[in-house]
Coordinates of all heavy atoms in Angstrom, one line a residue:
M1 N 121.6 86.4 107.3 CA 122.4 87.5 106.9 C 121.9 88.8 107.7 O 120.7 89.0 107.7 CB 122.4 87.7 105.4 CG 122.9 88.9 104.9 SD 122.9 89.2 103.1 CE 121.3 89.8 102.8
Q2 N 122.8 89.6 108.2 CA 122.4 90.8 108.9 C 122.3 91.9 107.8 O 123.2 92.1 107.0 CB 123.4 91.2 109.8 CG 123.2 92.5 110.6 CD 122.0 92.5 111.6 OE1 121.6 91.4 112.0 NE2 121.4 93.6 111.8
L3 N 121.2 92.6 107.8 CA 120.9 93.7 106.9 C 120.6 95.0 107.6 O 119.8 95.0 108.5 CB 119.7 93.4 106.0 CG 119.3 94.5 104.9 CD1 120.4 94.7 103.9 CD2 118.0 94.0 104.2
E4 N 121.3 96.1 107.2 CA 121.0 97.4 107.7 C 120.9 98.4 106.6 O 121.7 98.4 105.7 CB 122.2 97.9 108.6 CG 121.8 99.1 109.4 CD 122.8 99.3 110.6 OE1 124.0 98.9 110.5 OE2 122.3 99.9 111.5
I5 N 119.7 99.1 106.5 CA 119.4 100.1 105.5 C 119.3 101.4 106.1 O 118.5 101.7 107.1 CB 118.2 99.7 104.7 CG1 118.4 98.3 104.2 CG2 117.9 100.7 103.7 CD1 117.1 97.7 103.6
L6 N 120.1 102.4 105.7 CA 120.1 103.8 106.2 C 119.9 104.8 105.2 O 120.4 104.7 104.0 CB 121.5 104.0 106.9 CG 121.9 103.0 107.9 CD1 123.4 103.1 108.3 CD2 121.1 103.1 109.2
T7 N 119.2 105.9 105.6 CA 119.2 107.2 104.7 C 119.8 108.2 105.6 O 120.0 108.0 106.8 CB 117.7 107.5 104.3 OG1 117.0 107.9 105.5 CG2 117.1 106.4 103.6
P8 N 120.0 109.4 105.1 CA 120.5 110.5 105.9 C 119.6 110.9 107.1 O 120.0 111.3 108.1 CB 120.7 111.7 104.9 CG 120.9 111.0 103.6 CD 120.1 109.8 103.6
E9 N 118.3 110.6 106.9 CA 117.3 111.0 107.9 C 117.0 109.9 108.9 O 116.8 110.3 110.1 CB 116.0 111.3 107.2 CG 115.9 112.6 106.4 CD 116.5 112.3 105.0 OE1 116.4 111.2 104.5 OE2 117.2 113.3 104.4
H10 N 117.1 108.7 108.6 CA 116.7 107.6 109.5 C 117.1 106.2 109.1 O 117.6 106.1 108.0 CB 115.2 107.7 109.8 CG 114.4 107.2 108.6 ND1 114.2 108.0 107.5 CD2 113.7 106.1 108.4 CE1 113.5 107.3 106.6 NE2 113.2 106.2 107.1
K11 N 117.0 105.3 110.0 CA 117.3 103.9 109.8 C 116.0 103.3 109.2 O 115.0 103.3 109.8 CB 117.7 103.1 111.0 CG 118.0 101.7 110.9 CD 118.4 101.0 112.1 CE 119.6 101.5 112.8 NZ 120.1 100.8 113.9
V12 N 116.1 102.8 108.0 CA 114.9 102.2 107.3 C 114.6 100.8 107.8 O 113.5 100.4 108.0 CB 115.1 102.2 105.7 CG1 114.0 101.5 105.0 CG2 115.3 103.6 105.3
F13 N 115.7 100.0 107.9 CA 115.6 98.6 108.3 C 116.8 98.1 109.0 O 117.9 98.4 108.6 CB 115.2 97.7 107.1 CG 115.0 96.3 107.4 CD1 113.7 95.8 107.7 CD2 116.1 95.4 107.4 CE1 113.5 94.5 108.0 CE2 115.9 94.1 107.7 CZ 114.6 93.6 108.0
S14 N 116.6 97.2 110.0 CA 117.8 96.6 110.6 C 117.3 95.2 111.1 O 116.3 95.1 111.8 CB 118.4 97.4 111.8 OG 119.5 96.7 112.3
G15 N 118.0 94.1 110.7 CA 117.6 92.8 111.2 C 118.2 91.7 110.3 O 118.9 91.9 109.3
N16 N 117.9 90.4 110.7 CA 118.3 89.3 109.9 C 117.3 89.0 108.8 O 116.1 89.0 109.1 CB 118.4 88.0 110.9 CG 119.6 88.2 111.8 OD1 120.8 88.5 111.3 ND2 119.5 87.9 113.0
V17 N 117.8 88.7 107.7 CA 117.0 88.5 106.5 C 117.5 87.2 105.7 O 118.7 86.9 105.9 CB 116.9 89.7 105.5 CG1 116.3 90.9 106.3 CG2 118.3 90.1 105.0
Y18 N 116.7 86.8 104.7 CA 117.1 85.7 103.8 C 117.9 86.3 102.8 O 118.9 85.8 102.2 CB 115.8 85.1 103.3 CG 116.1 84.0 102.2 CD1 116.6 82.8 102.5 CD2 115.8 84.3 100.9 CE1 116.9 81.9 101.5 CE2 116.0 83.4 99.9 CZ 116.6 82.2 100.2 OH 116.8 81.2 99.2
G19 N 117.6 87.6 102.3 CA 118.3 88.2 101.2 C 117.7 89.6 100.8 O 116.8 90.0 101.5
V20 N 118.4 90.2 99.9 CA 117.8 91.6 99.4 C 118.1 91.7 97.9 O 119.1 91.2 97.4 CB 118.5 92.7 100.2 CG1 120.0 92.7 100.1 CG2 117.9 94.1 99.9
Q21 N 117.1 92.2 97.2 CA 117.2 92.5 95.8 C 117.3 94.0 95.6 O 116.5 94.7 96.2 CB 115.9 92.0 95.1 CG 115.8 90.5 95.1 CD 114.5 90.0 94.4 OE1 113.6 90.8 94.2 NE2 114.5 88.7 94.2
L22 N 118.3 94.4 94.8 CA 118.6 95.8 94.7 C 118.7 96.2 93.2 O 119.2 95.4 92.3 CB 120.0 96.1 95.4 CG 120.0 95.8 96.9 CD1 121.3 95.6 97.4 CD2 119.3 97.0 97.6
P23 N 118.4 97.5 92.9 CA 118.6 98.0 91.5 C 120.0 98.6 91.3 O 120.3 99.7 91.7 CB 117.5 99.1 91.4 CG 117.4 99.6 92.8 CD 117.7 98.4 93.7
G24 N 120.9 97.8 90.8 CA 122.2 98.3 90.5 C 122.2 99.3 89.3 O 121.2 99.4 88.6
V25 N 123.3 100.1 89.1 CA 123.3 101.0 88.0 C 123.3 100.4 86.7 O 122.9 100.9 85.6 CB 124.4 102.1 88.2 CG1 124.3 103.0 89.3 CG2 125.8 101.4 88.2
Q26 N 123.7 99.1 86.6 CA 123.8 98.3 85.4 C 122.8 97.1 85.4 O 123.0 96.2 84.6 CB 125.2 97.9 85.1 CG 126.2 99.1 84.9 CD 127.5 98.6 84.5 OE1 127.9 97.4 84.6 NE2 128.4 99.5 84.0
G27 N 121.9 97.2 86.2 CA 120.9 96.1 86.3 C 120.6 95.6 87.7 O 121.4 95.8 88.6
S28 N 119.5 95.0 87.9 CA 119.2 94.5 89.3 C 120.1 93.2 89.7 O 120.5 92.4 88.8 CB 117.8 94.0 89.4 OG 116.9 95.1 89.1
F29 N 120.3 93.0 91.0 CA 121.0 91.9 91.5 C 120.5 91.6 92.9 O 119.7 92.3 93.5 CB 122.5 92.2 91.5 CG 123.0 93.3 92.4 CD1 123.4 93.1 93.7 CD2 122.9 94.6 91.9 CE1 123.8 94.1 94.5 CE2 123.3 95.7 92.8 CZ 123.7 95.4 94.0
E30 N 120.9 90.4 93.4 CA 120.4 89.9 94.6 C 121.6 89.5 95.5 O 122.6 89.0 95.0 CB 119.5 88.7 94.5 CG 118.8 88.2 95.6 CD 117.8 87.1 95.3 OE1 118.2 85.9 94.9 OE2 116.6 87.3 95.3
I31 N 121.5 89.8 96.8 CA 122.5 89.3 97.8 C 121.9 88.4 98.8 O 120.9 88.7 99.3 CB 123.1 90.6 98.5 CG1 123.7 91.6 97.6 CG2 124.1 90.1 99.6 CD1 124.1 92.9 98.2
L32 N 122.5 87.2 98.9 CA 122.1 86.2 99.8 C 123.1 85.9 100.8 O 124.3 86.4 100.8 CB 121.7 84.9 99.0 CG 120.6 85.1 98.0 CD1 120.4 83.8 97.2 CD2 119.2 85.5 98.6
Q33 N 122.8 84.9 101.8 CA 123.8 84.5 102.7 C 125.1 84.0 102.1 O 125.1 83.4 101.0 CB 123.1 83.3 103.5 CG 124.0 82.7 104.7 CD 123.8 83.5 105.9 OE1 123.0 84.4 106.1 NE2 124.6 83.2 106.9
N34 N 126.2 84.3 102.7 CA 127.5 83.9 102.2 C 128.0 84.6 100.8 O 128.7 84.0 100.1 CB 127.7 82.4 102.2 CG 127.6 81.8 103.5 OD1 128.1 82.3 104.5 ND2 126.9 80.7 103.6
H35 N 127.4 85.7 100.5 CA 127.8 86.5 99.3 C 129.2 86.9 99.3 O 129.7 87.2 100.4 CB 126.8 87.7 99.1 CG 126.9 88.2 97.6 ND1 127.9 88.9 97.2 CD2 126.0 88.1 96.7 CE1 127.6 89.2 95.9 NE2 126.5 88.8 95.6
A36 N 129.9 86.9 98.2 CA 131.3 87.4 98.2 C 131.3 88.8 98.6 O 130.3 89.6 98.3 CB 131.8 87.2 96.8
P37 N 132.4 89.3 99.2 CA 132.5 90.7 99.6 C 132.4 91.6 98.3 O 132.9 91.3 97.3 CB 133.8 90.8 100.2 CG 134.2 89.4 100.7 CD 133.5 88.6 99.7
M38 N 131.7 92.8 98.5 CA 131.6 93.7 97.3 C 131.1 95.0 97.8 O 130.4 95.2 98.9 CB 130.7 93.1 96.3 CG 129.2 93.1 96.6 SD 128.2 92.8 95.1 CE 126.7 93.6 95.6
V39 N 131.2 96.0 97.0 CA 130.7 97.4 97.1 C 130.1 97.6 95.7 O 130.8 97.4 94.6 CB 131.8 98.4 97.5 CG1 131.1 99.8 97.4 CG2 132.3 98.1 98.9
A40 N 128.9 98.2 95.6 CA 128.3 98.5 94.4 C 127.4 99.8 94.5 O 126.9 100.0 95.5 CB 127.4 97.3 93.9
A41 N 127.4 100.5 93.4 CA 126.5 101.7 93.3 C 125.1 101.2 93.0 O 124.8 100.3 92.1 CB 127.0 102.6 92.2
L42 N 124.1 101.9 93.5 CA 122.7 101.6 93.2 C 122.0 102.8 92.5 O 122.3 103.9 92.7 CB 121.9 101.4 94.6 CG 122.5 100.3 95.5 CD1 121.7 100.4 96.9 CD2 122.3 99.0 94.8
G43 N 121.1 102.3 91.6 CA 120.4 103.4 90.8 C 119.0 103.5 91.4 O 118.6 102.9 92.4
K44 N 118.1 104.3 90.7 CA 116.7 104.5 91.1 C 115.9 103.2 90.7 O 116.1 102.7 89.7 CB 116.2 105.7 90.3 CG 114.8 106.1 90.7 CD 114.4 107.3 90.0 CE 113.0 107.7 90.4 NZ 112.6 109.0 89.8
G45 N 115.1 102.8 91.6 CA 114.3 101.6 91.3 C 113.7 101.0 92.6 O 113.5 101.6 93.6
S46 N 113.4 99.7 92.5 CA 112.7 99.0 93.5 C 113.7 98.0 94.3 O 114.5 97.4 93.7 CB 111.6 98.1 92.9 OG 110.9 97.4 93.9
M47 N 113.7 98.2 95.7 CA 114.5 97.3 96.6 C 113.5 96.4 97.3 O 112.6 96.8 97.8 CB 115.2 98.2 97.6 CG 116.0 97.4 98.6 SD 116.8 98.4 99.8 CE 115.4 99.2 100.6
K48 N 113.8 95.1 97.3 CA 113.0 94.1 97.9 C 113.8 93.4 99.0 O 114.8 92.8 98.7 CB 112.4 93.1 96.9 CG 111.5 92.1 97.5 CD 111.0 91.0 96.5 CE 110.1 91.5 95.6 NZ 109.5 90.5 94.7
I49 N 113.3 93.5 100.2 CA 113.9 92.8 101.3 C 113.2 91.4 101.5 O 112.0 91.4 101.6 CB 113.7 93.6 102.7 CG1 114.4 95.0 102.5 CG2 114.3 92.9 103.9 CD1 114.1 95.9 103.7
L50 N 114.0 90.5 101.4 CA 113.4 89.1 101.5 C 113.6 88.6 103.0 O 114.7 88.1 103.4 CB 114.2 88.1 100.6 CG 114.2 88.6 99.1 CD1 115.2 87.7 98.3 CD2 112.9 88.6 98.5
K51 N 112.6 88.9 103.8 CA 112.7 88.6 105.3 C 112.8 87.1 105.5 O 113.6 86.7 106.3 CB 111.5 89.1 106.0 CG 111.4 90.7 106.1 CD 110.3 91.0 106.9 CE 110.4 92.5 107.4 NZ 109.3 92.9 108.2
D52 N 112.1 86.3 104.8 CA 112.3 84.9 104.7 C 111.8 84.4 103.3 O 111.5 85.3 102.5 CB 111.5 84.1 105.8 CG 110.1 84.5 106.0 OD1 109.4 84.5 104.9 OD2 109.6 84.7 107.1
K53 N 111.6 83.1 103.1 CA 111.2 82.7 101.8 C 109.7 83.0 101.4 O 109.4 82.9 100.3 CB 111.4 81.2 101.6 CG 113.0 80.9 101.6 CD 113.2 79.4 101.4 CE 114.6 79.2 101.4 NZ 115.1 77.8 101.1
A54 N 109.0 83.6 102.4 CA 107.5 83.9 102.1 C 107.2 85.3 102.4 O 106.1 85.7 102.1 CB 106.7 82.9 102.9
S55 N 108.1 86.1 103.1 CA 107.7 87.4 103.5 C 108.7 88.5 102.9 O 109.9 88.3 103.0 CB 107.7 87.4 105.0 OG 107.6 88.7 105.5
T56 N 108.2 89.5 102.3 CA 109.0 90.6 101.8 C 108.5 92.0 102.2 O 107.4 92.1 102.6 CB 109.0 90.5 100.3 OG1 107.7 90.7 99.8 CG2 109.5 89.1 99.8
E57 N 109.4 92.9 102.0 CA 109.1 94.3 102.1 C 109.7 95.0 100.9 O 110.8 94.7 100.5 CB 109.8 95.0 103.4 CG 109.1 94.8 104.7 CD 109.7 95.6 105.8 OE1 110.2 96.6 105.6 OE2 109.6 95.1 107.0
V58 N 109.0 96.0 100.3 CA 109.4 96.6 99.1 C 109.5 98.2 99.3 O 108.7 98.7 99.9 CB 108.5 96.3 97.9 CG1 108.9 97.0 96.6 CG2 108.3 94.8 97.7
Y59 N 110.6 98.7 98.8 CA 110.8 100.1 98.8 C 111.2 100.7 97.5 O 111.9 100.0 96.7 CB 112.0 100.5 99.8 CG 111.7 100.1 101.2 CD1 111.9 98.9 101.8 CD2 111.1 101.2 102.2 CE1 111.6 98.5 103.1 CE2 110.8 100.8 103.4 CZ 111.1 99.5 103.9 OH 110.8 99.3 105.2
N60 N 110.7 101.9 97.2 CA 111.3 102.6 96.0 C 112.5 103.4 96.5 O 112.3 104.2 97.5 CB 110.2 103.5 95.4 CG 109.2 102.7 94.7 OD1 109.5 101.7 94.0 ND2 107.9 103.2 94.6
I61 N 113.6 103.3 95.9 CA 114.8 104.0 96.3 C 115.3 105.0 95.2 O 115.0 104.8 94.1 CB 115.9 103.1 96.7 CG1 116.4 102.2 95.5 CG2 115.4 102.1 97.8 CD1 117.7 101.4 95.9
T62 N 116.0 106.0 95.6 CA 116.5 107.0 94.7 C 118.0 106.8 94.5 O 118.6 107.8 93.9 CB 116.2 108.4 95.2 OG1 116.7 108.5 96.4 CG2 114.7 108.6 95.1
G63 N 118.6 105.7 94.8 CA 120.1 105.5 94.6 C 120.9 105.6 95.9 O 120.4 105.9 96.9
G64 N 122.1 105.1 95.7 CA 123.0 105.0 96.9 C 124.1 103.9 96.7 O 124.5 103.7 95.5
F65 N 124.5 103.3 97.8 CA 125.5 102.2 97.7 C 125.2 101.1 98.6 O 124.4 101.3 99.6 CB 126.9 102.9 98.1 CG 127.4 103.9 97.2 CD1 127.1 105.2 97.3 CD2 128.2 103.5 96.1 CE1 127.6 106.2 96.4 CE2 128.7 104.5 95.2 CZ 128.3 105.8 95.3
V66 N 125.8 100.0 98.3 CA 125.7 98.7 99.1 C 127.1 98.2 99.3 O 127.8 98.2 98.4 CB 124.7 97.7 98.5 CG1 125.2 97.2 97.1 CG2 124.5 96.5 99.4
E67 N 127.3 97.7 100.6 CA 128.5 97.0 100.9 C 128.1 95.7 101.6 O 127.3 95.6 102.4 CB 129.4 97.8 101.8 CG 130.6 97.0 102.3 CD 131.4 97.7 103.4 OE1 130.7 98.2 104.3 OE2 132.7 97.7 103.3
T68 N 128.7 94.6 101.1 CA 128.5 93.3 101.8 C 129.8 92.7 102.2 O 130.7 92.7 101.4 CB 127.6 92.3 101.1 OG1 127.2 91.2 101.8 CG2 128.2 91.9 99.7
L69 N 129.9 92.2 103.4 CA 131.2 91.6 104.0 C 130.8 90.8 105.2 O 130.1 91.2 106.1 CB 132.1 92.8 104.4 CG 133.5 92.4 104.9 CD1 134.3 91.6 103.9 CD2 134.2 93.6 105.4
N70 N 131.3 89.5 105.2 CA 131.1 88.6 106.3 C 129.6 88.5 106.7 O 129.3 88.6 107.9 CB 131.9 89.0 107.5 CG 133.4 88.9 107.2 OD1 133.9 88.1 106.4 ND2 134.2 89.9 107.7
N71 N 128.7 88.2 105.8 CA 127.3 88.1 106.0 C 126.6 89.3 106.7 O 125.6 89.1 107.4 CB 127.1 86.8 106.9 CG 127.1 85.6 106.1 OD1 126.6 85.6 104.9 ND2 127.6 84.5 106.6
K72 N 127.2 90.5 106.5 CA 126.6 91.8 106.9 C 126.5 92.6 105.7 O 127.5 92.9 105.0 CB 127.3 92.5 108.0 CG 126.6 93.7 108.4 CD 127.2 94.4 109.6 CE 126.3 95.7 109.8 NZ 126.7 96.5 110.9
T73 N 125.3 93.1 105.4 CA 125.1 94.0 104.3 C 124.5 95.3 104.7 O 123.6 95.4 105.5 CB 124.0 93.3 103.3 OG1 124.6 92.1 102.7 CG2 123.8 94.2 102.0
T74 N 125.2 96.3 104.2 CA 124.8 97.7 104.7 C 124.5 98.5 103.3 O 125.3 98.5 102.4 CB 126.0 98.5 105.4 OG1 126.4 97.7 106.5 CG2 125.6 99.9 105.8
V75 N 123.3 99.1 103.4 CA 122.8 99.8 102.2 C 122.6 101.2 102.6 O 121.9 101.6 103.6 CB 121.4 99.2 101.7 CG1 120.9 100.0 100.5 CG2 121.5 97.8 101.5
L76 N 123.3 102.1 101.9 CA 123.2 103.6 102.2 C 122.5 104.3 101.1 O 122.9 104.2 99.9 CB 124.7 104.1 102.4 CG 125.5 103.5 103.4 CD1 127.0 104.1 103.3 CD2 125.0 103.7 104.8
L77 N 121.4 104.8 101.4 CA 120.4 105.4 100.4 C 120.3 106.9 100.5 O 120.3 107.4 101.6 CB 119.1 104.7 100.5 CG 119.0 103.2 100.3 CD1 117.6 102.6 100.6 CD2 119.5 102.8 98.9
E78 N 120.0 107.5 99.3 CA 119.7 108.9 99.3 C 118.3 109.0 99.8 O 118.0 110.0 100.5 CB 119.8 109.4 97.8 CG 121.2 109.5 97.3 CD 121.3 109.8 95.9 OE1 120.2 110.3 95.3 OE2 122.3 109.5 95.2
G79 N 117.4 108.1 99.5 CA 116.0 108.2 100.0 C 115.3 106.9 99.7 O 115.7 106.1 98.9
A80 N 114.3 106.6 100.5 CA 113.6 105.3 100.4 C 112.1 105.5 100.8 O 111.9 106.2 101.8 CB 114.2 104.2 101.3
E81 N 111.2 105.0 100.1 CA 109.8 105.1 100.4 C 109.2 103.7 100.3 O 109.3 103.0 99.3 CB 109.1 106.0 99.3 CG 107.7 106.3 99.5 CD 107.1 107.3 98.5 OE1 107.7 108.3 98.3 OE2 106.0 106.9 97.9
S82 N 108.5 103.4 101.4 CA 107.9 102.0 101.5 C 106.7 101.9 100.5 O 106.0 102.9 100.2 CB 107.2 101.8 102.9 OG 106.7 100.6 103.0
V83 N 106.6 100.7 99.9 CA 105.6 100.5 98.9 C 104.6 99.5 99.5 O 105.1 98.4 100.0 CB 106.1 99.9 97.5 CG1 105.0 99.5 96.6 CG2 107.1 100.9 96.9
S84 N 103.3 99.7 99.5 CA 102.4 98.8 100.0 C 101.5 98.3 98.9 O 101.1 99.0 98.0 CB 101.5 99.3 101.2 OG 101.3 100.7 101.1
Y85 N 101.1 97.0 99.0 CA 100.3 96.4 98.0 C 98.9 96.2 98.5 O 98.6 96.0 99.5 CB 100.9 95.1 97.6 CG 102.3 95.2 96.8 CD1 103.4 94.9 97.5 CD2 102.2 95.6 95.5 CE1 104.6 95.0 96.8 CE2 103.5 95.7 94.9 CZ 104.6 95.4 95.5 OH 105.8 95.5 94.9

């Protein structure tokens, strides 16, 4: 699945991924390959990019929107900060 994550200041991520976990306004959800088309509002919380089944990147986000259509997911965020463990 193609994933693109943007803030007003810069592109946070762009590439092929296994999936993405996002904090929706009514609870967390996950988008994987062949997900049904949708648009959803995002709340404040943790976003996890699943690069493959063993590799992830985590960001704290401050809200925004996500759109998925034809195996392309675009995430538009107010802000994102990388989390390192």
Side-chain angles (χ1 to χ4, degrees):
M1 167 178 87
Q2 178 68 26
L3 176 66
E4 189 162 31
I5 302 171
L6 306 165
T7 68
E9 292 82 31
H10 68 285
K11 184 182 293 188
V12 176
F13 182 90
S14 182
N16 286 314
V17 297
Y18 175 73
V20 61
Q21 295 174 347
L22 298 158
V25 292
Q26 295 184 346
S28 295
F29 62 95
E30 185 172 75
I31 299 173
L32 300 173
Q33 184 83 7
N34 297 321
H35 195 285
M38 74 167 205
V39 174
L42 302 174
K44 185 176 181 178
S46 179
M47 172 183 67
K48 185 185 286 186
I49 301 169
L50 310 169
K51 289 184 164 185
D52 55 43
K53 292 185 179 183
S55 173
T56 63
E57 280 186 31
V58 179
Y59 293 86
N60 287 327
I61 66 169
T62 56
F65 292 91
V66 60
E67 176 191 43
T68 187
L69 181 65
N70 298 325
N71 283 322
K72 180 172 182 184
T73 299
T74 304
V75 183
L76 303 173
L77 300 172
E78 295 171 17
E81 183 178 309
S82 181
V83 176
S84 25
Y85 292 105

